[in-house]
Amino acid sequence: ASHMASDAIRLLFEIRDRHGPIGLEDPPGTWHLFDDKDRGMPFYFNPITQEARWMKPPSCSWRRMVVDVSQPIYMNEITHQTSWVMPPGLCWKKVDIPGTEAFWLNFKTNVTNARQPAELPNDLAAELEAEPSTYWFNEVTGASQWEDPKESSWNMLQDKEGRAYWFKPSTGDSTYKQPIEAAWKQKVDQKKEKQVFYYNEVTEETTWMKPPELGWVQHDEL
């Protein structure tokens, strides 16, 4: 028994070392938020373990912070871990399909919830309520996804001196050298009836076909 316990503890440390405290958090949808009318306080309830608690669980403690107008960062108020990529606890979408009752979907774990998820802070929930069922579609590849493509793409930002640099949230990589994937620009050929073409500022390649990197558009109806 002691050997099995040691293996379990070792596994927990390995998960924490690999993913940080977020790796030890409860999966999205584990906790439900209720109001205690007698005390006038909210409390958290786990229907699987029947545990009730006043203190926020770590999985319900993520907040979105804005460092740059185009690049948010996420911080956990309990563990103080930060992430450039949206943590699973915040990966909820309000899905409103005509003819059915609206529900919440966590697109990282495919969990659904009829009530506002306990992990979502009210400000973010209000934004999602105002724009239900929004998703991203790539007109070139035909791919569709709930996640904002910016999380896995190079985004141009500015440092304190005003110099442009590129940052990829999914890997945390940054560079002052413009990546090839982020160098595509749409141009108009004035000599050919203003036909649209695409030019890569790094490779100097031109093409009439739209590159997949420029193919993402947001839709608000399923």
Side-chain angles (χ1 to χ4, degrees), residues 79-110:
T79 65
H80 302 293
Q81 184 178 5
T82 58
S83 173
W84 291 108
V85 177
M86 184 179 289
L90 297 184
C91 292
W92 291 92
K93 277 285 186 179
K94 185 66 176 291
V95 181
D96 190 359
I97 302 174
T100 64
E101 187 173 349
F103 61 93
W104 292 91
L105 168 70
N106 188 288
F107 52 82
K108 285 293 186 182
T109 60
N110 206 32

Side-chain angles (χ1 to χ4, degrees), residues 164-179:
Y165 72 97
W166 286 262
F167 176 71
K168 182 181 285 190
S170 59
T171 63
D173 294 331
S174 61
T175 177
Y176 281 96
K177 183 179 180 181
Q178 186 176 18

Side-chain angles (χ1 to χ4, degrees), residues 31-211:
W31 295 93
H32 294 200
L33 184 61
F34 296 97
D35 288 322
D36 187 321
K37 296 181 179 180
D38 294 332
R39 298 193 181 188
M41 294 174 58
F43 69 95
Y44 296 84
F45 177 70
N46 184 329
I48 298 176
T49 64
Q50 297 295 299
E51 178 186 354
R53 59 189 293 177
W54 301 107
M55 182 179 294
K56 285 182 183 179
S59 61
C60 300
S61 302
W62 285 96
R63 295 294 180 269
R64 181 183 60 189
M65 316 293 289
V66 178
V67 177
D68 184 280
V69 65
S70 59
Q71 182 56 61
I73 187 172
Y74 304 91
M75 183 182 73
N76 192 295
E77 297 176 329
I78 301 296
T79 65
H80 302 293
Q81 184 178 5
T82 58
S83 173
W84 291 108
V85 177
M86 184 179 289
L90 297 184
C91 292
W92 291 92
K93 277 285 186 179
K94 185 66 176 291
V95 181
D96 190 359
I97 302 174
T100 64
E101 187 173 349
F103 61 93
W104 292 91
L105 168 70
N106 188 288
F107 52 82
K108 285 293 186 182
T109 60
N110 206 32
V111 171
T112 59
N113 202 329
R115 305 173 67 249
Q116 178 180 321
E119 294 90 358
L120 278 182
N122 289 331
D123 58 339
L124 186 53
E127 290 181 19
L128 297 173
E129 288 267 15
E131 297 182 351
S133 303
T134 56
Y135 69 99
W136 292 88
F137 176 75
N138 192 299
E139 298 176 320
V140 178
T141 66
S144 59
Q145 61 185 48
W146 297 105
E147 300 96 326
D148 189 333
K150 286 184 176 180
E151 287 202 352
S152 56
S153 305
W154 288 102
N155 302 303
M156 188 176 71
L157 305 174
Q158 286 188 335
D159 62 16
K160 294 180 180 180
E161 285 73 39
R163 296 180 300 170
Y165 72 97
W166 286 262
F167 176 71
K168 182 181 285 190
S170 59
T171 63
D173 294 331
S174 61
T175 177
Y176 281 96
K177 183 179 180 181
Q178 186 176 18
I180 293 176
E181 306 97 300
W184 287 104
K185 304 296 179 184
Q186 180 175 301
K187 303 285 185 178
V188 176
D189 190 333
Q190 300 294 340
K191 298 179 181 180
K192 292 189 176 183
E193 300 180 351
K194 296 184 178 181
Q195 187 172 351
V196 172
F197 69 99
Y198 303 91
Y199 173 72
N200 191 293
E201 296 177 330
V202 174
T203 65
E204 299 185 348
E205 177 187 356
T206 59
T207 177
W208 299 109
M209 300 292 293
K210 179 183 288 188

Side-chain angles (χ1 to χ4, degrees), residues 1-12:
S2 60
H3 178 70
M4 294 179 61
S6 298
D7 288 343
I9 293 173
R10 187 181 302 111
L11 178 60
L12 290 175

